[in-house]
Structures are given as C-alpha cells and as structure tokens.
Amino acid sequence: MRRLAALLLICALTSPLTLAADEVSFVGYAPRSSQTERDWESKFRDIPDPANLREYMKRMSARPHHVGSPYDKDNAEWILARFKEWGLDAHIETFNVLFPTPKVRLLEMMEPTKFTAKLEEPALAVDPTSNQKSEQLPTYNAYSPDGDVTAPLVFVNYGLPEDYEKLERLGVSVKGAIVIAKYYHSWRGVKPKVAAEHGAIGCLIYSEPHDDGYTVDNVFPNGPMRNPEGVQRGSVMDFASNSPGDPLTPGIGATADAKRLSVKEAKSIASIPVLPISYGDAQPLLAALRGPMAPEEWRGTLAIPYHIGPGAAKVHLKLAFNWDIKPVYDVIAKIPGTEAADEWIIRGNHHDAWVNGAEDPVSGQAPLLEEVRAFGTLLKQGWKPRRTIIYAAWDGEEPMLLGSTEWVEAHADELRQHAAVYINTDGNDRGLLNMGGSHTLEQFINGVAKDIADPETKMSVWERKRLSEIANASADDRKEIRQRADLRISALGSGTDFTGFLDHLGIATLDMAYEGETEQGIYHSIYDDFFWYTHFSDNDFVYGRALSQTVGTAVMRLADAEVLPFDFVDFADTVQKYTRDLQKLLKDKQDEIRERNQELDEGVFKATFDPRKPTVAPPREEMPPHLNFAPMENAGEALARSAERYRKALSAKQSALNGSESSQLAALNTKLIESERTLTNDAGLPRRPWFKHLLYAPGVYSGYGVKTVPGVREGIEQKRYAEAEQEIIRVGKALQDEAALIDSAAQMLESK
Ligand SMILES: [Zn+2]
C-alpha cells in the first residue's frame, strides 16, 4: 500500500555503463567464493523476462482480489502452484482476521442546499476491468467505526496537528463538527485521529486535484492522474499508537483457536466515522463553506474560493459495516540452506489489493515470482544457497499488514532465533532505485545497486541514483554525495509488510522500488489496473525485470556469504547524524518559542490584528529545557570505533574465510544477526510496547512517515522533555551494547 512521493528527474544521463570491477571480493566472501557467487549471480540476472512479468500481472490483476474475495484465494492458490511448479517446497498459511466491509455509506449535505454524494467510481469503456462492479469493494476506509452524525463542516487542510494550531489562531473550533481533510502529507489514519483529539465527530478525506489530479497531468483514461470520481480507499486503523495486524489478536498470531478480543475491545479501530471521497463529491461541500478564507497554502485548484467554515454547510454522514472475520492466505516457499540452514533470508511482497491492484501490489509481486522461477532454474543447475531462503506472498496487507504481521507474531520465537534479514517490496514503477532499510545494510545494498544495469541509461542503477541526487541536492549535500563511498539509504517508517520484522522483532530489513518517472493518481481506486499500468507506468516491464534482478541479487548475496555482509561504519555515521538532528530539533524549538514569546511581549500580534479578519494570538509557552545528549554522543563515538575495528578485522580475514570452520562462522554470524535485535528494547516505545526498535518507528502523528530515534524525537516534538531525557539514556545504553557486540565480533575475527 505504500505510496511514496514522486521524485523529479531533471538531469540528462548519458554516461556509459559502469558496473563494479570484477576483481574486488564481495564483503563477507573469500575471494574464491566471491568469484563463484559472481558467476551464479550473473546467471541469475539473465533469467527474469519482461514477457513473463506482463503475463503474471495480467493474471493476478484480472479481477478484484481484496481480502475475503474469491479471486484473492484464487491468486494465492495460483501463486502456490507456480512456487511448486518451479520446484520449491511451498504451502499456504491461513489466519483469520477482522475485516470490515461497508453495509451503509451515506453522505449528504442538508444545508444550505441538498446534495447527495455519489460515492461511486464509474466504469470506463476503454478500461476493460473497470466494469467488474459485482466484485469491487465500494469506496471506504477500513476500520472506520459505524456512525450516524450530522454536523457543520470544517475544512482542515491535510488534517495535521499544525493545521489545528492554525485553526486555533483563526478562531475556528472543530468541536462537534465534521472535518474535511485532503489526502497526503500524513498517513490517512492520522487524520481522523487528530480530528477526534480536537473534538470532531466525523471525518471526510478527499483527493485534491492539486495533489494527484489535473494539476499534475491529464486525468485517467487520458492520462495517469485521478479523475473527478476516483477515490482512494484505504485503512484508517490506528496502528502506529497500537499495533498493525488483526485488531482482535494484538501481539499473537490470529490462528483459528487464538483468543480474541471483541470488536468493542479492539483499540486500533478509528474513533470517529471516516469516509474517503472524490473531488467530484467534495467540490459542492467545499463550495458551500463560509467563514474565514483558508490560508493560501491550504488552497487547492478546484475553481472555488476555499473557505474554512464553519457556516451554513451542514452534512450528514452515515456509515455501517459488516464486522466479519475473514481468512488471509500467506503463500510461503522455502529453499533450504546447506551449511547455514538455521540462518534465514526472508523476502516478501503482498498479493492482495483494494481492487484490481496492478500497480499496488502486483507490479512488485510479479518480479517476486520471477525471482522464484529464476532460483528454481539455478537450483536445477546446481546452485546451493548456504542459508535458508524464504519467499512470502502476503495476504491482507492493504487493511493493515494483516498477513505479514500475523505470520511474524505466530512465528516470533523462531524468527528471533533464525531470521537474518527481511527484504520487502510493494509495487514498482519506472525511474530511480529507492533504497530504504537498516543502516547496517547500507554498504551492502549500495554494492548490489552497483551491479544492476539501469534499463534506460544503461549505467548502473547506483550511478544513476547518485547523479540524480547530485542534480537535486543543496551545495553541502552535493559535497557529501561526491565524497561518501555509499549513498545514504532512507530509514523505514511503515505502510508495508516489513513493519513486523523490523519494528516488532528487530530483524535487519531492506525495502526497495523503482520510482520517480511515473506520475499516478489511481492509487487504491478501481483504475489501478492492467490497462492503467500498461499505458502509464512500466509498460514494457523493464523496471520490473530490474527489480527482480536487484532484489534477487541481494537475496543470493546475503544467502551465500560466509560472513553476513553487515557493516557498521555507515551505521555509526548515521547514528551520529541522528544525534545531531535531535540536538538541532531541540534548539530550533527553543529559538522558535523564545522568538514568539518576545513578539508577544513586544505587542506584535496586537499590531498586526485586523478586526475584519480576526485572529487569536498564540499562547505563551514555556521554554524547552536543555537536554543531556551525552549518553548518545558517547555511544556514537564508541560505535564509530568498534565499526572501524570490525571492518578492518573482516577485511584482514577475508582471504582466509573459506578455511574457517563452520562452527566459528556460525558463532560470528549469530552475533551479526543479534546486531539488529540489540537495537530493540523489550518494553517497547513509550505508550506503544508493540514497537520495540529504538531507532526506527512510524510516527504516532505521521503514520507511515518514519520517526528516527522515536522515543527521543517524539518526546521533544510532543513536549515531554523528561521522557525525552529518559529515552536518550535508554538509546545510549542500547548503542553501547551494540558497540560491545561489534567489538566482540571483531575480536572473533582477530583471534582466529
Ligand atoms: Zn501495497
């Protein structure tokens, strides 16, 4: 379900293909094993075929395949049959989860005029799957509660916490109101959450043409963007404050006999009724608003004056759902390892969609299938991975990571023991390789990206990414990009299936996609289908092939290495950067409050008051205290020292690795696997114990957007300074433990 912001590609890319030099050994490989690996990898990369990707997409997106639908099950069985046909040991694992579907959806304006929203995406003659009405889920937000509310309407921009601060300054309250928010800039489930915290009793979310409609490009079917009736479905489960997965079985697998909460007891269901609408349905409602004009940056591109309300516009929202338990079908395939079968490399993408889901998720699922087919071929040719490889086609990702979270919770003990790395994808388009993940894998994935050819420029996808980053960077950042050996990878928030692996269990994770050259406004609508994808995205499937090549290469290189290719130098650098970021965050906050308090003293707000456009002066705030960052600063330095020591020790030992006894290698690899677990704390983050990683988490008020060092960062952002200081100590301790673990791994290499 992940939808990342599109990047702008503005550079001309003309350099010739420059792939990594052959003679350098891979990290964690003895020279001879490295050469063998290189040969197998190059055989692997020749196999994925765009024609197959096209066929898989056609098949899997032929009919709507949401959780509980006949074609969802059909796809799972079809994927299982392919895994088996290609020679893998595979099975379907079923969980039973709460999945609400709409029974009643009514939205009408009662005053000043009558208007009833259509809430309907029409079939289009040119788009052959858009008419499968009987199988399509209606437009709705999953895990909205039932509700029947009538109230004045208030426009709240994107519905972010700062938007409500602005409303207060404008003297507008949403207490007892229904709010209307635009999609994007925060995850959709945050919008009803923040609205309810401010007293709203209902929430509408609409797709503004300025964000993914005609302001960007022509609308579907003449272009890739959202048409006036297109609606973004999606989950509004409050997962970031609680946990993702089945709301009735938090923390445990939703197996048939699992102990379940009642729907009333489930904490992650949204607190007020919420409905997504198209801009066709939103326009009459917005046009009826009165009250102050919306600030300029809030306004979209509908041909109306954007007022905030409240005023004459009164709306009636009535929603009721079938609160049913539905099966989800995870398709799991296994390639057993040889020397290190107890160390697992896991790779997944979901197969369920909101409707036909050609882009989300099939454009990522099809490359996954091609990877499995290619591995089947290599196994027949004699390739034997050292570690066990597990491939997963998850079900129920869209409602909120149901299939992957339940699997992670059901298998938590063995995963904690065996899982080395999880690699996720969730859809694919055209353009640049986006790399996110654990920074202990930053060097590794940079290395993989150097060996993948970009379909358009023929240079490596790494070089293309590097040059386009230079084209878009500030002067300081350009300098860093040119000097640093590796491109920085982004930290992971949530919004797709890695969440349970990384945030709950502390399994090192990567998440990847090609993106940036496809504009799209069909996300979670009936128009995300084969017709759209083959007209407006990777229509020749060459980026699908590149994704297969990228992820498959990463899986092989992780699975075959004598020593898992974790590296801690980039990691230590990132941790030190995060510490500086947090110090700056606090200082900026202090500066801002100091300035505002001074302006209040000076009478600035009195002087700028316009009685015809009345505003409310901001409240005087207490200055945030200074915090002691020493525990993180000291740990950062310790980490940097251990990281250098480990890198040196591994490189000195590299040529002797294949002479090492397997028990020695196993002991070292066990330590390396532990390195991500060490960054977790069993008690979890403040007020959300399911999230245990101390460095990465989705934000309580950003949703999918990551909060790095979340305990400290959210402590500062939410003005809980004493808690932030406690969290600095907790994070510092975990980082010191990490440094000690890296030191002991270095020592093992030095003493052998
Ligand atoms: Zn998805």
Side-chain angles (χ1 to χ4, degrees):
M1 81 175 88
R2 175 228 10 239
R3 167 95 175 91
L4 292 157
L7 298 167
L8 279 178
L9 263 186
I10 50 171
C11 48
L13 297 157
T14 49
S15 319
L17 175 64
T18 47
L19 295 182
D22 264 18
E23 55 276 8
V24 184
S25 287
F26 294 136
V27 173
Y29 283 77
R32 186 151 29 94
S33 332
S34 187
Q35 194 47 55
T36 312
E37 175 68 13
R38 214 175 275 283
D39 294 344
W40 280 119
E41 286 184 7
S42 122
K43 280 191 189 116
F44 165 79
R45 286 195 291 271
D46 285 343
I47 299 174
D49 182 349
N52 288 339
L53 295 172
R54 186 186 173 88
E55 283 312 304
Y56 303 156
M57 179 178 284
K58 202 167 184 185
R59 146 79 216 189
M60 287 188 280
S61 66
R63 287 166 53 192
H65 52 109
H66 53 271
V67 168
S69 67
Y71 206 63
D72 176 72
K73 184 167 193 237
D74 199 88
N75 266 343
E77 285 164 355
W78 181 81
I79 293 167
L80 177 68
R82 298 288 76 68
F83 285 174
K84 287 184 169 168
E85 176 191 328
W86 296 325
L88 270 70
D89 169 19
H91 66 278
I92 287 180
E93 197 163 333
T94 306
F95 295 98
N96 301 297
V97 297
L98 179 70
F99 180 58
T101 52
K103 203 156 60 179
V104 178
R105 296 174 310 142
L106 173 68
L107 171 64
E108 49 186 358
M109 182 156 60
M110 316 298 287
E111 297 167 18
T113 48
K114 264 277 199 185
F115 164 75
T116 304
K118 285 201 210 89
L119 310 178
E120 183 70 37
E121 297 177 304
L124 301 171
V126 295
D127 179 2
T129 60
S130 63
N131 64 359
Q132 297 166 330
K133 285 288 154 195
S134 66
E135 290 182 85
Q136 291 166 355
L137 272 179
T139 55
Y140 80 115
N141 286 132
Y143 305 105
S144 157
D146 293 344
D148 187 349
V149 288
T150 303
L153 191 67
V154 177
F155 174 52
V156 295
N157 194 28
Y158 292 106
L160 313 175
E162 55 264 37
D163 295 327
Y164 288 89
E165 278 172 29
K166 188 90 196 182
L167 286 173
E168 268 164 43
R169 299 282 320 279
L170 293 167
V172 175
S173 163
V174 300
K175 216 172 207 122
I178 294 173
V179 301
I180 180 164
K182 296 184 284 189
Y183 260 115
Y184 299 114
H185 292 274
S186 71
W187 171 64
R188 73 182 81 71
V190 170
K191 299 170 196 285
K193 176 184 172 69
V194 182
E197 286 174 0
H198 287 84
I201 58 169
C203 179
L204 305 172
I205 314 177
Y206 83 99
S207 297
E208 161 62 49
H210 183 259
D211 293 314
D212 69 1
Y214 52 70
T215 312
V216 183
D217 200 341
N218 290 341
V219 303
F220 191 67
N222 300 315
M225 304 314 294
R226 205 172 296 273
N227 53 28
E229 297 89 4
V231 177
Q232 181 187 139
R233 290 160 187 74
S235 176
V236 291
M237 184 195 286
D238 188 8
F239 79 100
S241 308
N242 298 285
S243 57
D246 174 31
L248 304 186
T249 58
I252 58 166
T255 51
D257 55 354
K259 201 164 174 285
R260 286 179 165 73
L261 302 173
S262 68
V263 175
K264 272 207 173 70
E265 291 168 309
K267 286 203 182 107
S268 57
I269 293 169
S271 57
I272 55 173
V274 45
L275 184 71
I277 59 175
S278 66
Y279 59 83
D281 277 339
Q283 179 155 349
L285 307 179
L286 290 166
L289 288 172
R290 293 295 176 263
M293 277 300 286
E296 208 174 322
E297 63 280 10
W298 288 28
R299 299 174 201 165
T301 46
L302 294 168
I304 53 165
Y306 284 75
H307 288 275
I308 287 177
K314 194 182 246 186
V315 297
H316 174 212
L317 173 65
K318 186 175 178 190
L319 299 173
F321 301 92
N322 306 298
W323 294 92
D324 296 331
I325 303 278
K326 291 280 168 67
V328 290
Y329 305 103
D330 291 339
V331 193
I332 309 288
K334 200 160 137 184
I335 304 174
T338 51
E339 291 100 320
D342 282 345
E343 295 164 15
W344 299 352
I345 307 299
I346 308 167
R347 188 287 190 248
N349 192 105
H350 69 101
H351 68 77
D352 69 300
W354 276 116
V355 195
N356 297 73
E359 200 274 352
D360 181 6
V362 175
S363 61
Q365 183 63 44
L368 179 149
L369 288 174
E370 235 359 37
E371 290 159 46
V372 175
R373 186 180 72 82
F375 287 156
T377 307
L378 295 192
L379 288 167
K380 281 179 204 132
Q381 295 172 6
W383 172 60
K384 290 193 180 78
R386 183 181 178 88
R387 297 189 172 77
T388 296
I389 297 172
I390 296 174
Y391 263 70
W394 307 118
D395 196 357
E397 190 270 358
E398 292 298 355
M400 193 43 73
L401 325 179
L402 304 176
S404 59
T405 303
E406 297 314 317
W407 192 80
V408 161
E409 290 174 344
H411 297 278
D413 289 340
E414 38 179 350
L415 286 169
R416 274 194 204 99
Q417 217 183 332
H418 301 295
V421 175
Y422 174 68
I423 306 184
N424 191 71
T425 60
D426 183 351
N428 195 55
D429 290 292
R430 299 171 47 241
L432 301 172
L433 177 61
N434 181 57
M435 302 179 278
S438 303
H439 291 85
T440 51
L441 293 170
E442 183 169 278
Q443 184 201 48
F444 167 76
I445 198 62
N446 270 264
V448 170
K450 285 173 187 167
D451 289 341
I452 309 299
D454 176 65
E456 286 166 359
T457 63
K458 310 302 176 203
M459 66 176 74
S460 76
V461 298
W462 183 86
E463 185 62 6
R464 187 179 189 198
K465 172 90 172 174
R466 194 179 76 89
L467 293 173
S468 76
E469 282 189 4
I470 288 173
N472 294 304
S474 67
D476 278 355
D477 289 348
R478 271 202 301 274
K479 199 170 155 201
E480 186 194 86
I481 297 163
R482 287 182 174 130
Q483 283 172 357
R484 206 170 182 270
D486 298 318
L487 298 172
R488 291 191 183 279
I489 63 173
S490 50
L492 296 179
S494 182
T496 183
D497 290 307
F498 58 72
T499 309
F501 292 89
L502 180 64
D503 296 338
H504 189 53
L505 296 185
I507 295 164
T509 292
L510 289 168
D511 182 66
M512 287 178 279
Y514 287 90
E515 60 184 32
E517 293 182 322
T518 304
E519 291 293 356
Q520 62 127 310
I522 44 70
Y523 179 58
H524 291 183
S525 74
I526 64 169
Y527 311 115
D528 176 0
D529 57 20
F530 190 73
F531 179 89
W532 179 88
Y533 196 87
T534 52
H535 284 78
F536 300 110
S537 186
D538 182 27
N539 53 300
D540 48 7
F541 293 86
V542 289
Y543 277 98
R545 176 172 58 192
L547 188 71
S548 264
Q549 292 169 330
T550 310
V551 179
T553 299
V555 168
M556 289 181 82
R557 204 172 291 180
L558 286 163
D560 290 338
E562 275 116 351
V563 177
L564 281 164
F566 288 69
D567 179 82
F568 303 97
V569 175
D570 287 353
F571 170 73
D573 172 50
T574 305
V575 165
Q576 289 180 308
K577 182 174 178 297
Y578 288 165
T579 307
R580 292 193 301 274
D581 290 350
L582 290 168
Q583 288 167 320
K584 182 169 185 303
L585 173 72
L586 179 62
K587 184 173 179 301
D588 289 351
K589 206 143 185 130
Q590 289 167 334
D591 290 349
E592 180 197 320
I593 290 175
R594 186 181 300 112
E595 171 64 24
R596 195 190 307 146
N597 288 350
Q598 189 182 339
E599 289 183 16
L600 284 165
D601 290 342
E602 290 168 336
V604 166
F605 296 98
K606 243 181 237 155
T608 54
F609 184 83
D610 175 352
R612 295 194 191 174
K613 293 178 187 168
T615 51
V616 179
R620 180 178 300 277
E621 270 186 62
E622 214 172 296
M623 276 285 287
H626 293 288
L627 298 179
N628 177 17
F629 284 93
M632 284 185 67
E633 290 174 306
N634 291 329
E637 282 177 21
L639 264 181
R641 282 193 300 273
S642 322
E644 286 295 347
R645 179 181 168 191
Y646 177 80
R647 189 185 268 190
K648 216 177 271 168
L650 180 60
S651 126
K653 197 75 178 185
Q654 185 126 355
S655 56
L657 281 180
N658 48 4
S660 304
E661 279 185 31
S662 59
S663 65
Q664 288 176 314
L665 284 177
L668 176 59
N669 284 314
T670 302
K671 262 195 200 304
L672 293 169
I673 291 173
E674 275 300 305
S675 69
E676 197 77 19
R677 311 281 192 278
T678 306
L679 302 172
T680 64
N681 185 296
D682 248 1
L685 296 176
R687 289 167 299 282
R688 40 178 183 152
W690 190 90
F691 291 91
K692 300 191 189 297
H693 207 296
L694 297 177
L695 294 188
Y696 315 117
V700 169
Y701 290 103
S702 62
Y704 295 174
V706 66
K707 294 286 174 182
T708 54
V709 205
V712 182
R713 185 176 296 274
E714 293 192 326
I716 296 172
E717 286 174 350
Q718 294 162 28
K719 301 172 192 165
R720 287 191 299 266
Y721 300 108
E723 182 177 292
E725 193 131 51
Q726 282 307 308
E727 289 295 303
I728 293 174
I729 296 170
R730 211 155 65 117
V731 172
K733 162 102 180 42
L735 294 176
Q736 291 285 4
D737 291 348
E738 182 80 348
L741 180 135
I742 298 167
D743 269 330
S744 71
Q747 198 177 8
M748 291 173 86
L749 286 162
E750 288 158 355
S751 63
K752 267 191 228 162

